[in-house]
Amino acid sequence: MGPGMDPAEARRVYLDYNATTPPAPEVVQAVRDAMSQAWGNPSSSYPAGRKAKEHIGSARESVARMVGGRPEDIIFTSGGTEANNMVIHTACRHFHDSQATPGDSWGTPHIVTSSVEHDSVRLPLEQLVKEGLAEATFVPVSQRSGRAEVDDVLAAIRSTTCLVSIMLANNETGVIMPVMELSQRVHALNQRRVAEGLPRILVHTDAAQMIGKGRVDVQELGVDYLTIVGHKFYGPRIGALYVRGPGTTTPLHPMLFGGGQERSFRPGTENTPMIAGLGKAAELVSKNWETYEAHMQDVRDYLEAKLEASFGKQRIHHNSHFTGSKRLCNTSNFSILGPGLQGRRVLSCCKILLASVGAACHSEKGDRPSLILLSCGIPYDVAQNALRLSVGRDTTRTDVDLVVQDLMQAVAQLDQDQAL
C-alpha cells in the first residue's frame, strides 16, 4: 500500500510512481506550516509577508542545490508543462530578437526534439508548426538503444535551429538519454555558428522523471534549461525551471505579464505553501537520492526476476531492456505474451495492483499501443500487452510478491476466457 492511501484501498499496491507520487510527510508538514504561518503576501513588508518571502528564498536555495545550480537560476512555475512551454516560447522569441538588424531574416525558427518526448514538448511544437511560427524535427529514437542518439540529433540541425530539447529519461521505458554528450557537442557547434553569424542553439532537458531517482547536475549536463516537476519526487504539484543565468547568459522570455514576481519572468503572487513544499521535497532528494536509487533498483530488479520465474522467461517480453542503455532505477515496462492479454484488460482483472499501461496523461486511448513503444521498435502485438510498473521509495519485495501473484490470477482468468 502506498503512503497516504485511502483505507478502502489498503490491500492495493500502487506501482505507478512515474505518473505521480504521494507527497512525503515532511512535505505535507512544510505546506501546512507555510499555510498557517506564512500566509502573507511575499511582496509585503510586514512580518507575515517577510516570513513568506523567507520561505520562498529558502526553497529556491534547496531546489537549486538539488540540481547543482544557483538560487538565481531557479524560476518557480505551475508545473512541468508551463516550464516546457516557456522554454519553447523563449527559443522562438530569441531567434527573432538575435537577428542583427530588424530588416534581417533568418527565416522560421527550427527546433529539434525526439519522437518520445512528453506531450508538453511535442504538442506546443506541433501547434507552432501548424501556425507557421516554427519548424520542428522529431528525431526517431534508435530501435537498438531506445535513445535519441547524439549523431542523429546533430544531423537534424539546420542553419535556422534555435533549440534542441531532449528529455533526460523517458517516462514509459525509463531509458536515460545522452544529454551530457549532446550538450557538449552543441556547445562546440555553437562556437562555429557564432563565427558564421548563425543563431545560437539553446539546449533544454525535461528532467521530470530523473529527479529523485538518479544524479541530476546541471553543471555536468551542461544544459541551458532544465525542467523540474514536484509531484514526480514526492513534492506538490508545482514545478520550476532551471535557467543558466536567466536574462543574462541564457535568454528567458515571460509568457505572462503582471506584478513583477519571479523577476518578471513568471509574474503572479507566489504560491508560498506549495513552493515551501517543493523546497522540502528537494531537500529530501539532495540528502537521500542515492539511498532511494539503490532501494528502488533492488525492488525493480526483484520484480523482473519474479515475473520471469512465475510466468516463464518465454512469456515475459521486457520492453525497456536495450543494449548499452541505462534506464531509471524504478521503471519496468514489460508485456505478458499471449492473445487477449492487452495491458488494459490485464489491469482490469487485477485485484491488488494499481498501475498503468503507459503515460497517465494518455490513459483514455483504448487498446491502441503506446506510440513511444512502437517508435522504440516494439512489435504492435507485444506493445498492446504492455504494462508499465514503476516502484517507489516505500515499495517492498512483499509488495512485489503480492503484485506478481495478482498478475498471475488475472492472466489465468483471461486465458480461461480466451479458451471459451
Side-chain angles (χ1 to χ4, degrees):
M1 175 185 166
M5 278 195 180
D6 188 310
E9 293 194 332
R11 55 189 198 84
R12 310 299 301 252
V13 175
Y14 179 79
L15 289 188
D16 206 13
Y17 289 89
N18 282 7
T20 199
T21 58
E26 300 93 328
V27 169
V28 173
Q29 191 60 49
V31 170
R32 191 180 288 136
D33 290 349
M35 272 186 161
S36 57
Q37 296 157 27
W39 50 267
N41 189 317
S43 301
S44 304
S45 58
Y46 39 76
R50 285 203 303 275
K51 184 104 172 155
K53 194 171 185 176
E54 282 164 22
H55 273 282
I56 292 166
S58 162
R60 201 183 303 280
E61 284 172 17
S62 298
V63 173
R65 198 175 305 119
M66 174 178 72
V67 296
R70 304 171 308 165
E72 57 267 35
D73 295 334
I74 300 296
I75 310 293
F76 292 116
T77 66
S78 61
T81 295
E82 183 187 351
N84 288 343
N85 275 261
M86 205 169 171
V87 170
I88 292 164
H89 166 77
T90 290
C92 292
R93 272 286 306 272
H94 182 65
F95 173 87
H96 293 299
D97 290 354
S98 302
Q99 289 167 175
T101 60
D104 284 3
S105 180
W106 283 329
T108 308
H110 173 244
I111 295 167
V112 179
T113 189
S114 82
S115 61
V116 297
E117 295 298 313
H118 189 266
D119 276 358
S120 59
V121 168
R122 184 176 65 83
L123 293 176
L125 290 178
E126 286 182 358
Q127 185 62 28
L128 288 170
V129 169
K130 193 169 144 189
E131 292 175 17
L133 298 174
E135 292 173 343
T137 301
F138 296 88
V139 175
V141 291
S142 156
Q143 298 198 350
R144 189 185 56 79
S145 68
R147 309 194 311 174
E149 296 295 1
V150 174
D151 287 341
D152 295 338
V153 173
L154 291 173
I157 287 173
R158 307 173 186 169
S159 61
T160 53
T161 304
C162 60
L163 176 69
V164 169
S165 177
I166 302 289
M167 59 180 17
L168 197 45
N170 185 264
N171 46 316
E172 291 193 29
T173 62
V175 168
I176 295 168
M177 302 292 176
V179 172
M180 181 174 78
E181 190 194 339
L182 179 63
S183 292
Q184 288 166 350
R185 300 275 295 274
V186 171
H187 182 69
L189 180 60
N190 272 335
Q191 290 175 321
R192 295 202 297 278
R193 285 170 69 95
V194 169
E196 294 165 22
L198 293 174
R200 169 184 170 191
I201 299 168
L202 299 159
V203 180
H204 166 243
T205 191
D206 179 347
Q209 290 295 340
M210 190 69 168
I211 292 173
K213 301 173 200 166
R215 180 176 166 82
V216 177
D217 184 321
V218 291
Q219 308 311 331
E220 200 175 85
L221 290 169
V223 292
D224 299 303
Y225 308 99
L226 181 138
T227 295
I228 298 163
V229 181
H231 75 100
K232 304 292 189 188
F233 57 96
Y234 293 73
R237 291 219 170 110
I238 63 161
L241 178 64
Y242 160 83
V243 185
R244 186 181 298 277
T248 52
T249 309
T250 305
L252 187 63
H253 292 285
M255 295 182 78
L256 305 173
F257 295 86
Q261 295 87 349
E262 294 297 290
R263 287 156 289 159
S264 291
F265 291 123
R266 206 291 183 180
T269 303
E270 300 91 336
N271 190 348
T272 309
M274 295 304 142
I275 289 171
L278 189 69
K280 179 53 74 174
E283 271 177 49
L284 293 172
V285 168
S286 296
K287 207 184 300 178
N288 305 311
W289 73 265
E290 287 164 301
T291 309
Y292 297 153
E293 184 181 33
H295 169 74
M296 289 190 273
Q297 184 153 340
D298 173 74
V299 175
R300 191 272 315 273
D301 291 349
Y302 177 73
L303 165 68
E304 294 189 341
K306 187 87 181 170
L307 284 166
E308 290 187 356
S310 304
F311 286 97
K313 273 192 175 183
Q314 307 319 114
R315 206 163 184 199
I316 297 292
H317 185 280
H318 295 287
N319 301 324
S320 48
H321 289 193
F322 292 95
T323 316
S325 289
K326 292 195 170 91
R327 61 184 170 133
L328 291 173
C329 60
N330 77 320
T331 307
S332 180
N333 195 310
F334 63 91
S335 298
I336 303 168
L337 302 178
L341 297 180
Q342 290 87 351
R344 193 169 308 283
R345 296 187 68 188
V346 172
L347 287 179
S348 70
C349 291
C350 285
K351 297 179 171 69
I352 291 169
L353 172 64
L354 296 168
S356 65
V357 294
C361 327
H362 316 144
S363 53
E364 72 298 330
K365 293 194 175 164
D367 274 334
R368 276 186 301 164
S370 153
L371 290 174
I372 284 175
L373 292 185
L374 295 177
S375 64
C376 291
I378 306 295
Y380 192 94
D381 57 331
V382 175
Q384 262 194 321
N385 288 18
L387 296 170
R388 179 193 68 179
L389 270 49
S390 44
V391 306
R393 296 172 187 175
D394 303 306
T395 309
T396 63
R397 288 183 170 215
T398 307
D399 290 332
V400 168
D401 291 339
L402 287 169
V403 160
V404 174
Q405 227 175 335
D406 193 29
L407 284 168
M408 286 181 75
Q409 71 77 27
V411 167
Q413 188 185 324
L414 289 166
D415 280 347
Q416 200 176 357
D417 293 351
Q418 194 72 21
L420 293 176

Coordinates of all heavy atoms in Angstrom, one line a residue, residues 3 55 61 67-68 95 136-137 147 229 239 275 294 326 342 349 359 361 397 403:
P3 N 1.9 5.2 0.7 CA 1.6 6.0 1.9 C 0.5 7.0 1.6 O 0.3 7.4 0.4 CB 2.9 6.8 2.1 CG 3.7 6.7 0.8 CD 3.2 5.4 0.2
H55 N 10.5 31.9 3.2 CA 10.1 30.5 2.8 C 10.5 30.3 1.3 O 11.1 29.3 0.9 CB 8.6 30.3 3.0 CG 8.3 29.8 4.4 ND1 8.5 28.5 4.8 CD2 7.7 30.4 5.4 CE1 8.0 28.3 6.0 NE2 7.6 29.5 6.4
E61 N 16.8 28.1 -2.8 CA 18.1 27.6 -2.5 C 18.1 26.0 -2.5 O 19.0 25.4 -3.0 CB 18.6 28.1 -1.1 CG 19.1 29.5 -1.2 CD 19.4 30.1 0.2 OE1 19.6 29.3 1.2 OE2 19.4 31.3 0.3
V67 N 19.8 20.4 -8.0 CA 20.2 20.2 -9.4 C 21.6 20.8 -9.7 O 22.1 20.8 -10.8 CB 19.2 20.8 -10.4 CG1 17.9 20.0 -10.2 CG2 19.0 22.3 -10.2
G68 N 22.3 21.3 -8.6 CA 23.7 21.8 -8.8 C 23.7 23.2 -9.4 O 24.7 23.6 -10.0
F95 N 15.3 33.7 -31.2 CA 15.7 33.6 -32.6 C 15.5 34.9 -33.4 O 16.3 35.4 -34.1 CB 14.9 32.4 -33.2 CG 15.1 32.2 -34.7 CD1 16.2 31.5 -35.2 CD2 14.3 32.8 -35.6 CE1 16.4 31.3 -36.5 CE2 14.4 32.6 -37.0 CZ 15.5 31.9 -37.4
A136 N 9.8 22.1 -36.9 CA 10.3 21.1 -35.9 C 10.7 19.8 -36.5 O 10.1 19.4 -37.5 CB 9.2 20.9 -34.9
T137 N 11.7 19.2 -36.0 CA 12.1 17.8 -36.4 C 12.0 16.9 -35.2 O 12.6 17.3 -34.1 CB 13.6 17.8 -36.9 OG1 13.7 18.7 -38.0 CG2 14.0 16.4 -37.4
R147 N 17.3 5.1 -27.4 CA 17.8 6.5 -27.1 C 17.7 7.4 -28.3 O 17.7 6.9 -29.5 CB 19.2 6.6 -26.6 CG 19.6 5.6 -25.5 CD 20.9 5.9 -24.9 NE 22.0 6.1 -25.8 CZ 23.2 6.4 -25.4 NH1 23.5 6.6 -24.1 NH2 24.2 6.6 -26.3
V229 N 9.8 18.9 -11.9 CA 8.4 18.7 -11.7 C 8.2 18.1 -10.3 O 8.6 16.9 -10.0 CB 7.8 17.7 -12.7 CG1 6.3 17.5 -12.5 CG2 8.0 18.3 -14.1
G239 N 6.1 23.3 -10.2 CA 7.4 22.9 -10.8 C 8.3 24.1 -10.7 O 8.1 25.1 -10.1
I275 N 5.4 26.2 -2.8 CA 6.9 26.5 -3.1 C 7.7 25.9 -1.8 O 8.7 25.3 -2.0 CB 7.1 28.0 -3.3 CG1 6.6 28.3 -4.7 CG2 8.6 28.3 -3.2 CD1 6.6 29.8 -5.0
A294 N 19.2 3.1 -4.9 CA 19.6 1.7 -4.6 C 18.4 0.9 -4.2 O 18.3 -0.3 -4.7 CB 20.7 1.7 -3.5
K326 N 21.3 2.8 -20.3 CA 20.9 2.8 -18.9 C 19.5 3.2 -18.8 O 18.9 3.9 -19.7 CB 21.8 3.8 -18.1 CG 23.3 3.5 -18.0 CD 23.9 4.3 -16.9 CE 25.3 3.8 -16.6 NZ 26.3 4.5 -17.5
Q342 N -4.1 -7.8 -23.6 CA -3.8 -6.4 -23.7 C -3.6 -5.8 -22.3 O -4.4 -6.2 -21.4 CB -4.9 -5.7 -24.4 CG -5.0 -6.0 -25.9 CD -5.9 -7.2 -26.2 OE1 -6.3 -7.9 -25.3 NE2 -6.1 -7.5 -27.4
C349 N -8.4 -6.9 -14.6 CA -8.7 -8.1 -13.8 C -7.8 -8.2 -12.5 O -7.9 -9.1 -11.8 CB -8.3 -9.3 -14.7 SG -9.5 -9.5 -16.0
A359 N 2.0 6.3 -20.2 CA 1.9 7.6 -19.6 C 0.4 7.9 -19.1 O -0.5 7.6 -19.9 CB 2.2 8.7 -20.6
C361 N -1.1 10.5 -18.7 CA -1.8 11.6 -19.4 C -2.5 11.0 -20.6 O -3.4 11.7 -21.2 CB -0.8 12.6 -19.9 SG 0.7 12.8 -18.9
R397 N 9.7 -5.8 -1.3 CA 9.6 -7.1 -2.0 C 8.3 -7.9 -1.8 O 7.8 -8.6 -2.6 CB 10.8 -8.0 -1.6 CG 12.2 -7.5 -2.2 CD 13.3 -8.4 -1.8 NE 14.5 -8.0 -2.6 CZ 15.4 -8.8 -3.0 NH1 15.3 -10.1 -2.8 NH2 16.5 -8.4 -3.7
V403 N 1.9 -8.4 -6.0 CA 1.6 -8.0 -7.4 C 1.7 -9.1 -8.4 O 0.9 -9.3 -9.3 CB 2.5 -6.7 -7.7 CG1 2.5 -6.5 -9.2 CG2 1.9 -5.5 -7.0

